[in-house]
Amino acid sequence: AVVSTQSGHYGRADEHFTQLSLSGGKPKRPNCIRSLCLLLGPDFMTDIITVETSDHARLALQLSYNWHFELSKDNAENAAALFAVPDFVGDSCKALASRIRGAVAAVPFDDFHRNSARIIRTSVFGLDENMKVKDSFKFTANKLVITNVDIQSVEPVDQRTRDSLQKSVQLAIEITTNSQEASARHEAERLEQGAKGKLERQKIHDEAEAEKARTELLKLQSLSAAVESTGQAKAEALSRAESLKIEGQAAVEQAQLKAEAQNIEAENELRRINDARKGELEYISSTNGLEISKAQKMAAIETGKFQNMVTTLGPENIARIATSGHDNQLAMLKALGLQSTLITDGSTPLNLFNTAKGLVGALPPPQH
C-alpha cells in the first residue's frame, strides 16, 4: 500500500514498481516508451496508417488522437481498471486504425477525397440515434476516452495515384476558371442588352414628346387661321384643325403602342438570352463534371489494370517473355551446329556469286 503524508506519498519496503512498456513512434511500434507512471491526460498521440479505398487507391494518413482516462477517485475498482491494458497506446491505435481502414475500404477515392474528415470521424466515434457523429469514443476495458481526431495529412502512397490526384486538382481549377470567365462574359452581354433596351425606350419616348409638340403647334396654327379667316374658311380651318388633332392623337397613341411593343420585345429577348445563357452554363458545368469523373475513373481503372497484370505475371515471367524470341533463335542455331548464317527475305535480291566470293576468298590464278 502507499502511505500518504504531508510531504508526499511513500511505499513500504516490501513493495516494488511495475515498469510500463508503451508503443511509440510514427507509425506506432511496441516497447518504445518505458515509464514508471501512467499519465491520466488529457494528452494526444499521433499515428500513421495506410488505408486502401474501394477502387484500390492506397493512402497514408497521419492522425492525432486526443485522449484522457475517465477516473473516479472514490471507486477503487475503477482505478484498477486503468492497468487492465498494459500497452493502451498500441492497442487503442490498432483498434482505431482497424475501424478507419474498414470505413475507407467501403468508399471510392473520389468520395474519400471530398469527405475524408466526415468518414474518419464517423468511423472512430460512430453515430447516435439522430444519425449525428458522437463526441467521444470510450474503451470500456481501461476507461480510455478518445475525444477528438485531427487529420494532419493525407498523402497517396502510389506515385500514379499522386499524379492522378494532381491532374484532377489542376483540371478542377481550370474548369472553375472557365466557368467564371463564361459567367463574366454572360453578365457583360446581359448588361449590354439592358443598355440597348433603355436607349430604345428613351428614343421612342422622345419621338412621342416631339409628336405631342407638333400636335400643339398644329392646334395653334389652326386657331390662328380661324381668327384670320371667316365663314367657310373658318369652318374649313376648324375641320382641318380637328382632323390634324385626330391624326396627332392617333400618331401619339400609335407611337405609345409601338414603344410598348418594342419594350415587350426587348424584355422577351433579354429573358430568352438569359435563359439560353443559364442553360448553356448548366450544360457546360454538367459536361465538365462528367469529363472529370470519367477521367478519374479511367485513370483508376488503368492503374488497377496495370498493377493486376504486373502482379499476376510476376517480374520473372515478364523477363522471360521479353527475351523468348532471341533465346529460341539462339537455341535453334546451336542445335543445327551452324557457325555462320545469312538470313534474308524473298523481297530483297542477293548476289550469291559475289557473296560466295567474299566468303571463300578469290581463287588463285591457274598455273601454266
Side-chain angles (χ1 to χ4, degrees):
V2 177
V3 179
S4 177
T5 64
Q6 294 181 352
S7 59
H9 300 276
Y10 301 94
R12 296 200 303 264
D14 58 342
E15 293 182 339
H16 63 278
F17 293 100
T18 300
Q19 186 181 29
L20 297 177
S21 180
L22 305 177
S23 298
K26 292 183 291 186
K28 287 292 179 283
R29 300 186 306 275
N31 302 324
C32 289
I33 301 174
R34 300 183 182 277
S35 176
L36 295 176
C37 60
L38 178 63
L39 301 179
L40 301 179
D43 203 345
F44 69 93
M45 52 188 174
T46 304
D47 192 12
I48 298 177
I49 64 174
T50 301
V51 298
E52 184 173 354
T53 60
S54 61
D55 50 2
H56 306 292
R58 301 180 71 247
L59 306 172
L61 308 180
Q62 181 169 334
L63 308 174
S64 179
Y65 310 104
N66 294 84
W67 60 269
H68 69 272
F69 283 103
E70 199 173 62
L71 177 63
S72 177
K73 297 182 179 180
D74 299 332
N75 191 345
E77 294 181 357
N78 191 3
L82 301 178
F83 301 94
V85 179
D87 185 6
F88 75 93
V89 175
D91 291 348
S92 60
C93 286
K94 289 179 182 178
L96 296 175
S98 176
R99 295 167 68 94
I100 294 172
R101 288 192 189 97
V104 175
V107 296
F109 173 74
D110 190 27
D111 293 345
F112 180 75
H113 179 62
R114 291 195 300 264
N115 307 307
S116 58
R118 182 179 58 82
I119 293 173
I120 292 175
R121 290 183 61 86
T122 303
S123 63
V124 172
F125 298 118
L127 300 175
D128 57 10
E129 60 275 4
N130 297 324
M131 301 305 294
K132 294 183 178 180
V133 180
K134 297 180 180 179
D135 296 331
S136 62
F137 176 73
K138 182 178 180 181
F139 292 92
T140 57
N142 60 345
K143 309 301 180 182
L144 178 65
V145 180
I146 305 297
T147 58
N148 189 29
V149 180
D150 182 18
I151 306 171
Q152 296 180 346
S153 66
V154 179
E155 296 182 358
V157 177
D158 192 7
Q159 181 64 32
R160 291 179 179 269
T161 305
R162 186 180 291 110
D163 295 339
S164 298
L165 178 61
Q166 185 177 4
K167 184 178 180 180
S168 176
V169 172
Q170 292 176 354
L171 185 60
I173 294 174
E174 183 178 355
I175 290 174
T176 302
T177 303
N178 294 335
S179 299
Q180 291 178 354
E181 291 179 356
S183 299
R185 185 169 61 254
H186 294 161
E187 183 67 18
E189 292 177 356
R190 186 185 66 80
L191 294 177
E192 183 179 0
Q193 292 293 334
K196 287 183 179 179
K198 289 182 179 179
L199 182 60
E200 291 294 332
R201 287 195 297 271
Q202 186 64 34
K203 183 179 178 180
I204 294 171
H205 182 268
D206 294 341
E207 290 178 354
E209 292 295 331
E211 190 67 26
K212 287 182 180 180
R214 193 160 43 250
T215 302
E216 292 294 332
L217 177 60
L218 293 174
K219 189 185 294 185
L220 292 176
Q221 288 177 353
S222 63
L223 289 175
S224 177
V227 172
E228 292 177 356
S229 6
T230 56
Q232 185 177 0
K234 181 178 180 181
E236 292 176 355
L238 290 173
S239 63
R240 188 167 55 252
E242 187 67 23
S243 175
L244 292 175
K245 179 180 178 181
I246 294 173
E247 291 178 358
Q249 290 178 352
V252 171
E253 292 178 357
Q254 182 179 4
Q256 290 178 350
L257 294 175
K258 184 178 180 180
E260 292 177 357
Q262 291 182 352
N263 188 14
I264 294 172
E265 290 179 357
E267 291 178 354
N268 291 333
E269 182 65 20
L270 182 60
R271 188 180 299 108
R272 185 188 65 80
I273 293 174
N274 289 335
D275 294 339
R277 295 295 184 270
K278 183 177 180 182
E280 180 182 358
L281 182 60
E282 292 178 353
Y283 173 76
I284 292 173
S285 299
S286 62
T287 304
N288 292 336
L290 291 175
E291 289 296 333
I292 291 174
S293 177
K294 178 181 178 182
Q296 291 176 349
K297 291 181 178 180
M298 289 301 296
I301 290 172
E302 290 298 329
T303 301
K305 177 181 177 182
F306 181 77
Q307 289 178 352
N308 291 334
M309 289 175 63
V310 172
T311 303
T312 303
L313 293 177
E316 295 180 357
N317 291 331
I318 294 175
R320 291 175 182 174
I321 292 172
T323 61
S324 61
H326 297 288
D327 293 343
N328 291 334
Q329 293 176 2
L330 181 60
M332 182 180 65
L333 293 177
K334 287 182 179 180
L336 294 175
L338 299 178
Q339 295 182 354
S340 63
T341 58
L342 178 62
I343 301 173
T344 180
D345 53 3
S347 62
T348 304
L350 179 65
N351 190 344
L352 298 178
F353 295 100
N354 293 335
T355 304
K357 183 179 179 179
L359 291 175
V360 301
L363 295 175
Q367 298 179 1
H368 299 286

